[in-house]
Amino acid sequence: MAGRDLRALFSTNDRSLEASEAFTNRQLQWELVAAALTRHLQRTAASAFDVEDLEAPRDNILVFHGVGGIGKTTLSRKLEATLAGAEQRPVQWGEPTWAEERILPVRIDLARSAGTDFEQLVLTIRAALAALGRPLPAFDLALRRYWEQQHPGESLEEYLRRGGLAGRFGKAMPQQMQSALADVAQALLLPGTLGSAVGQITGSLVGALRERRQTVRALAGCRRLADLLEAEPDLDALSFYPHLLAWELARLPADRRVTPVILLDTFEDVGDRTHRDLERLIQRVVWLMPNAFFVVTGRSRLQWAEPALQGQLDYTGPAAWPGLAAGSLPHARSGTGERAGGRQVLIGDFSPEDCDDYLARRLARNGRPLIRDEIRQVISGRSHGLPLYLDLSVMRFLEIRRAGREPASADFDHDFPALIARTLSDLTREERHVLRSVSLLDAFDLSLATAAAGLPHQAPALRLIERPFVRENPFGLWPFHLHGLIRSTVRGADDQTDDRWSPRDWQEAAERSHAALGEQWRAGTGRDRALLVGCLRQGLGLARDFRLNLGWLTDAVWDYVGDSVWEPVAPSARQDQAAVETPADALAELLSALSRRQHEHRARTADRLTGVIDTRLLPAELHEMAVYYLAKADRDLGRSDASLRGMQHVADHGGRLAAAARRGLAHLARLAGDFPAARDAARTLGWEGRHHRVQGDIWWPHGEMDRAAAAYEAARREAEQHGVAGERATSQAQRAFVLAFTQPEHADDEVELARHLVTGLSLRQTSHTIEMAALARDAGTDRDVEDRARILREQISISGVAIAGAVLELALCFHHAVRDDHAGADAGIARLRDLTRGGDYAYYADIAQFMLGRPAGQASAVRWLDDEQHTRDRWRALVTARQAHLRAGQ
């Protein structure tokens, strides 16, 4: 029966209230382990227990789950030590009931940093069982066959030594395996040396088992041994070999019998919930060793009891894993220390689902939750999974009811000052100072925490990071961060402590933190993009929230823009201030608009940038940045006159974007079909104006695909030399596009390179170019070109980039021309004329006509670099060359 929550019961006169206690300590977790292991020992000792029964439900597992840093690994290690010897067991945990039983704990760290793979997991279990002092022939023979097949020429003994297993469990395992092989060879009367006889031994043994010879009667009791020895010795087969271990353990003499307790720690690193390959293998081990007991620690519950996983794992559903099925309050116990569905135990912070489950069950009337669903959602969201916050919220719920009114959701958008008092209670004055300082930061390291606090030494920060509310991510840019609720409470709650900070104290801490971030960014070695983005994100948030001068942010923003990667850097919107009132507000909106333009319609981008420009809050050079990108958005939307004004303004001022603006002017000339003017402008641009890419953009409309490809390759190489990832990806995408018209057999490599280079970058238009390159490569084939084009057309319409839609239609016209589909081509030309009716890219319709061998038809204002006839001939030649290529491949 679940424990009663006396605080709740004595907070109300409502006698119908059912209040369940929810929290526990490590002693309770030990009691759960002890109770579950006791039941396991009783079950495996019963005469009805059959280790080879593969259909019976499994109850040989216990799961502890909770958020990172809550002590799951510590618990796993303490359980290992306690099970290894009574001298390691805390006195308060009490004497277990299995004192006469032999328990063998085997702890396996599944953390990625530990590098444990499935093969090592199986070897670890076998190495631990070397303590039995005897061979395990059925398993050892299968494992030796697997090892020689998968690791030819590699000594198992050396592998165990190198991986630390020999040092941990001794060196007896290889000798025991050799002994097992020798015994089997002798029983089969096989000649030859042991090293060369493994294949012969397994083959002969399988034959003997099939013929039920008396010479192998010791192994004949293992009904599935022959099948496993006949199976291909690969990783999948290895995952079934634990069945042989279980069989060997079951036939040990009573005085040698041992129960392995296998502790699998950091289970969250087995993989995500989309790719369950390793999880499937590990689950087989648990299922196939029903006489072993498994204790899993990880961040999430095991989902094995969920029927929806059927097909992803071998054994699923509540019937297979009754103890893993959901259905009871975490930490609640019956008198025996176990509960229905109680093999999944939450420790530490709660997941959102567990928060809701806790609140639903904590207070109930007639078995129904007293706290309504909408209130539970607010409390869960505010809690960040902290059990204490849930507890305080329950007390607040009862307090409001005592006041004579029904609690509402708004009552729980609430900070509890008690959290500050409890958090600060055992901290020194300097530690409290560091805590408040780092609450301004999303993440920090020791030097950043010390600088933010303005202290001359790191000792207080060193002590603080050891506290349980400081979480660590060793792979993060800054490894430490505060528990989310602790951070928000320290910053937002009504602090009544004696050393509480004044508004000026908070302002000075923000200024110190902002300056420290700038120093870290400037001290970064090389082009550290992660450091740049991290410092920008945190520094901009501080500048906005505390109305700081931009300072180093200006230079950092230019570095951010220069790489054309466009990761989100703007801090989340402030709930208390929607208006743009300070330079930092304007900069946050500018950066948000620039990064979101890869995901929003260009009209939305233009509106946001216009709003930033109209505030006149940014310094001159950042104001020009907004003007330049507004001009780019206008160009994408077909607003050429507005784009021309913006580009000319930036070019005339000679700032950091002047070269880019001159490139924009060259693009505008190309859009209008004035190729001589565009060519003349391209010659003056240099690297900063991306001269090679502009030249490629000029050459390909003329059908000069080889010259365009060479220009794009030069652009890509130049971008690589300057370390500009976005420009490199864009140039390669353009190169893939033009080569797709002339060299379809080689375009695959170019397209794949472009896809590789754009991975991790927010460049939607570049991604569209890559897909259009794939369409041009497949032009004339039956590879779903039109269906793929239809999908891509819908995606492009979301962005509002006019040129992308026109290029797509041009590529599709190429496909129709190759197939001599004049009706399809005419429909494409009609779409092109509609897309270019404003005048920009009007010559695309001419090019489509050229592909069909026709004159331009409706005359456009285009000025080609050479005679129109040459351009027509080149485009028509591309079509006829593709037709010949396809005929040759038939």
Side-chain angles (χ1 to χ4, degrees):
M1 181 176 178
R4 306 293 285 170
D5 181 357
L6 297 181
R7 287 181 61 204
L9 289 175
F10 281 85
S11 296
T12 178
N13 293 328
D14 187 351
R15 295 186 179 182
S16 64
L17 180 70
E18 302 164 9
S20 301
E21 191 176 33
F23 300 117
T24 186
N25 55 32
R26 295 296 184 261
Q27 181 174 348
L28 174 56
Q29 288 147 14
W30 163 250
E31 291 173 2
L32 291 172
V33 171
L37 184 53
T38 298
R39 287 192 58 188
H40 175 78
L41 293 170
Q42 293 170 347
R43 185 170 55 253
T44 57
S47 58
F49 177 76
D50 180 8
V51 75
E52 293 191 280
D53 184 351
L54 300 183
E55 298 179 358
R58 293 303 193 253
D59 202 23
N60 59 331
I61 187 169
L62 179 63
V63 180
F64 293 109
H65 63 103
V67 299
I70 205 63
K72 300 181 296 296
T73 294
T74 301
L75 173 64
S76 180
R77 289 171 175 160
K78 176 58 70 175
L79 291 173
E80 178 190 31
T82 298
L83 293 168
E87 66 276 7
Q88 298 292 329
R89 186 177 64 247
V91 175
Q92 64 270 28
W93 281 12
E95 183 79 16
T97 59
W98 62 77
E100 302 302 319
E101 300 286 343
R102 186 180 178 189
I103 305 297
L104 179 64
V106 186
R107 183 176 175 275
I108 301 174
D109 188 357
L110 298 172
R112 293 188 182 94
S113 57
T116 304
D117 57 16
F118 181 73
E119 190 173 85
Q120 189 173 17
L121 182 147
V122 173
L123 289 174
T124 300
I125 297 173
R126 175 59 183 90
L129 292 174
L132 295 172
R134 56 180 290 162
L136 303 173
F139 176 87
D140 289 351
L141 186 60
L143 179 61
R144 174 62 73 177
R145 178 169 175 262
Y146 168 89
W147 190 261
E148 294 201 359
Q149 180 76 21
Q150 299 297 325
H151 299 268
E154 183 178 5
S155 165
L156 177 60
E157 185 172 359
E158 173 60 22
Y159 181 90
L160 296 174
R161 186 196 64 78
R162 190 171 61 248
L165 295 180
R168 181 178 172 189
F169 299 109
K171 302 179 180 180
M173 175 185 162
Q175 287 79 11
Q176 291 175 4
M177 293 180 68
Q178 283 188 336
S179 177
L181 290 170
D183 291 343
V184 173
Q186 183 177 2
L188 295 170
L189 302 177
L190 294 175
T193 62
L194 183 62
S196 62
V198 174
Q200 185 180 1
I201 290 174
T202 55
S204 299
L205 178 58
V206 168
L209 291 171
R210 297 294 190 199
E211 296 168 7
R212 300 185 180 182
R213 297 180 200 166
Q214 286 298 309
T215 54
V216 293
R217 62 181 179 275
L219 294 175
C222 186
R223 289 174 285 173
R224 297 176 179 90
L225 175 57
D227 296 298
L228 288 174
L229 292 178
E230 285 182 325
E232 178 68 21
D234 54 16
L235 192 66
D236 193 62
L238 179 65
S239 68
F240 290 97
Y241 293 175
H243 171 73
L244 304 177
L245 274 182
W247 181 79
E248 293 280 11
L249 290 171
R251 73 189 191 106
L252 289 173
D255 61 340
R256 304 290 296 274
R257 188 161 296 169
V258 65
T259 298
V261 176
I262 301 170
L263 302 109
L264 302 175
D265 190 29
T266 327
F267 201 84
E268 67 271 12
D269 277 5
V270 164
D272 59 39
R273 294 192 170 187
T274 303
H275 304 93
R276 297 179 179 267
D277 295 339
L278 179 56
E279 186 178 4
R280 182 188 300 109
L281 300 178
I282 294 176
Q283 190 201 56
R284 284 179 189 163
V285 175
V286 180
W287 187 270
L288 296 175
M289 296 188 70
N291 49 353
F293 189 75
F294 293 81
V295 179
V296 171
T297 44
R299 294 187 180 180
S300 304
R301 286 176 171 171
L302 287 187
Q303 297 179 306
W304 298 354
E306 295 183 14
L309 288 187
Q310 186 174 10
Q312 296 186 60
L313 300 175
D314 291 349
Y315 313 97
T316 57
W321 306 96
L324 301 183
S328 64
L329 176 66
H331 296 176
R333 301 184 282 157
S334 67
T336 64
E338 292 201 78
R339 52 190 168 83
R343 290 302 179 88
Q344 305 235 45
V345 182
L346 181 70
I347 58 174
D349 290 354
F350 287 7
S351 67
E353 296 79 9
D354 286 322
C355 288
D356 185 76
D357 185 68
Y358 165 79
L359 293 169
R361 298 173 185 273
R362 176 70 183 275
L363 298 177
R365 180 185 288 120
N366 298 323
R368 299 179 62 85
L370 192 62
I371 304 176
R372 299 194 309 273
D373 178 72
E374 62 271 19
I375 296 178
R376 297 201 305 271
Q377 289 183 20
V378 173
I379 296 173
S380 297
R382 292 275 298 181
S383 73
H384 289 266
L386 190 70
L388 178 57
Y389 186 93
L390 301 178
D391 189 34
L392 292 171
S393 296
V394 169
M395 293 299 104
R396 179 171 175 79
F397 183 91
L398 294 174
E399 179 184 347
I400 293 171
R401 292 180 82 244
R402 284 202 309 272
R405 68 180 178 87
E406 187 65 22
S409 299
D411 294 320
F412 298 91
D413 187 11
H414 182 75
D415 289 312
F416 290 104
L419 283 173
I420 297 181
R422 296 193 186 193
T423 302
L424 303 181
S425 61
D426 61 343
L427 302 183
T428 66
R429 190 178 190 88
E430 283 187 326
E431 288 170 355
R432 293 196 295 272
H433 183 78
V434 176
L435 173 63
R436 291 189 172 98
S437 299
V438 298
S439 72
L440 297 171
L441 299 168
D442 299 330
F444 56 91
D445 57 17
L446 285 174
S447 60
L448 186 56
T450 302
L455 297 176
H457 50 278
Q458 292 186 343
L462 274 169
R463 293 195 299 271
L464 186 75
I465 64 173
E466 297 174 356
R467 301 289 179 170
F469 50 76
V470 176
R471 306 300 167 82
E472 182 176 5
N473 174 14
F475 304 106
L477 177 61
W478 294 286
F480 305 111
H481 63 277
L482 291 181
H483 183 285
L485 180 62
I486 299 300
R487 183 187 178 203
S488 64
T489 303
V490 168
R491 291 190 62 176
D494 185 12
D495 188 348
Q496 297 298 316
T497 57
D498 292 340
D499 60 347
R500 61 185 178 274
W501 276 8
S502 69
R504 184 58 197 164
D505 292 329
W506 284 106
Q507 184 71 26
E508 290 177 351
E511 292 171 358
R512 290 192 302 266
S513 300
H514 188 263
L517 286 165
E519 291 173 3
Q520 283 207 358
W521 168 63
R522 294 187 187 281
T525 57
R527 298 183 61 85
D528 190 336
R529 184 74 183 180
L531 180 63
L532 166 67
V533 170
C535 289
L536 256 180
R537 187 174 290 132
Q538 294 216 71
L540 188 56
L542 287 167
R544 186 198 62 182
D545 293 348
F546 290 89
R547 296 175 173 261
L548 305 179
N549 294 327
L550 297 183
W552 61 270
L553 288 172
T554 298
D555 289 336
V557 166
W558 284 108
D559 272 12
Y560 168 79
V561 169
D563 281 346
S564 299
V565 179
W566 310 117
E567 311 95 321
V569 293
S572 57
R574 292 172 58 180
Q575 296 179 352
D576 60 338
Q577 180 179 331
V580 176
E581 298 178 348
T582 69
D585 291 333
L587 182 56
E589 176 64 7
L590 170 62
L591 292 179
S592 176
L594 294 184
S595 61
R596 286 296 303 164
R597 73 194 180 104
Q598 302 296 330
H599 310 282
E600 295 177 336
H601 196 281
R602 285 294 192 271
R604 169 63 176 155
T605 303
D607 289 344
R608 296 182 70 180
L609 292 174
T610 299
V612 170
I613 292 168
D614 290 346
T615 67
R616 298 286 174 177
L617 289 170
L618 290 173
E621 56 183 330
L622 293 179
H623 179 82
E624 285 191 16
M625 180 186 291
V627 172
Y628 170 75
Y629 281 101
L630 174 59
K632 287 192 68 174
D634 283 335
R635 185 188 69 205
D636 291 340
L637 291 166
R639 304 169 183 172
S640 296
D641 291 342
S643 180
L644 179 62
R645 289 192 298 272
M647 291 295 182
Q648 194 65 60
H649 171 85
V650 176
D652 291 345
H653 280 72
R656 298 198 204 193
L657 286 171
R662 290 194 297 272
R663 179 178 78 242
L665 294 172
H667 282 317
L668 288 168
R670 178 173 56 85
L671 267 60
D674 190 350
F675 286 105
R679 179 188 57 188
D680 294 342
R683 290 169 176 169
T684 69
L685 294 177
W687 151 248
E688 291 184 347
R690 308 300 192 257
H691 55 146
H692 289 307
R693 178 154 62 89
V694 174
Q695 290 166 2
D697 293 343
I698 293 170
W699 285 123
W700 79 256
H702 290 78
E704 295 272 17
M705 298 308 190
D706 291 340
R707 297 180 73 173
Y712 289 134
E713 183 175 25
R716 188 196 70 207
R717 289 177 177 174
E718 214 168 31
E720 289 171 347
Q721 292 169 3
H722 288 84
V724 182
E727 176 63 20
R728 180 182 60 174
T730 298
S731 298
Q732 176 58 31
Q734 290 295 132
R735 175 176 166 81
F737 176 72
V738 297
L739 288 178
F741 285 89
T742 59
Q743 303 177 33
E745 68 277 11
H746 300 306
D748 280 343
D749 291 340
E750 300 293 339
V751 168
E752 287 307 310
L753 176 57
R755 284 175 174 159
H756 170 72
L757 295 180
V758 83
T759 300
L761 307 181
S762 296
L763 296 173
R764 182 165 60 175
Q765 177 54 38
T766 299
S767 297
H768 290 164
T769 301
I770 296 169
E771 296 310 311
M772 286 187 278
L775 289 175
R777 174 199 62 195
D778 296 337
T781 71
D782 56 358
R783 298 175 187 165
D784 299 323
V785 172
E786 294 183 56
D787 288 340
R788 288 154 55 196
R790 189 176 303 110
I791 294 171
L792 187 55
R793 188 182 294 122
E794 294 173 358
Q795 294 172 347
I796 290 172
S797 68
I798 296 173
S799 69
V801 180
I803 178 59
V807 174
L808 172 61
E809 298 303 335
L810 192 63
L812 198 54
C813 284
F814 181 64
H815 169 71
H816 292 310
V818 171
R819 295 170 70 95
D820 284 326
D821 179 3
H822 286 254
D826 288 340
I829 291 171
R831 287 193 294 270
L832 274 172
R833 294 199 187 283
D834 184 60
L835 287 169
T836 61
R837 62 181 179 272
D840 291 343
Y841 305 107
Y843 54 87
Y844 276 18
D846 297 351
I847 293 174
Q849 297 280 19
F850 297 163
M851 293 177 184
L852 297 165
R854 304 172 182 171
Q858 300 178 18
S860 66
V862 63
R863 294 177 60 208
W864 300 105
L865 294 179
D866 51 9
D867 184 77
E868 178 184 297
Q869 184 63 43
H870 292 106
T871 302
R872 179 187 296 112
D873 291 344
R874 283 190 290 267
W875 277 106
R876 182 58 186 168
L878 291 173
V879 172
T880 56
R882 177 61 60 89
Q883 291 171 334
H885 171 77
L886 293 174
R887 285 194 298 270
Q890 291 178 351

